Each structure stands twice: as structure tokens, then as C-alpha cells.
Amino acid sequence: MTERSARPATETPARRLTCARCGTAFGCDLSSECWCHAETARLPMPTSGGDCLCPACLRAAAAVARSGAGA
């Protein structure tokens, strides 16, 4: 008997990323099930070719942005 994947064939598999700020490896699911979907911190996507931040760096960057220290 052949086992089927838990994901439908049409879904994109999770990406493994490395945070540009701290080097931590983390997953990006590219779906509403990704960790960031439920995250309250929001930042604009980087325009300089960067990628997502890990959960800790996203929260830290959002805190700086909220405090106005990043301006």
C-alpha cells in the first residue's frame, strides 16, 4: 500500500529559510498555516531583496518600528 502525503499535491512545500539578522533557521509555509499568519507583528516586505525574518527578529523589529526608534 502506498502512503499518501498529508499535503495535497497542489500545495507548495514549506521553505527552510535562514534569518538574515541572526542566522536562525526557520520554516516558511507560504500558506495560512505558516507561523507568521497568526503573528500580530507586521512589517513591510523588504524591497532590497531580503526575505522573511525569524519570529524573534520579526517581533524585535516590529517593537523598534512601533517605538519610532527605527526612523
Side-chain angles (χ1 to χ4, degrees), residues 17-60:
L17 301 174
T18 301
C19 181
R21 289 197 179 181
C22 71
T24 297
F26 65 100
C28 175
D29 197 345
L30 298 174
S31 75
S32 62
E33 295 178 20
C34 187
W35 67 268
C36 69
H37 182 72
E39 185 60 52
T40 58
R42 298 280 188 250
L43 294 175
M45 287 299 293
T47 57
S48 60
D51 211 334
C52 300
L53 299 175
C54 72
C57 287
L58 174 66
R59 292 175 191 133

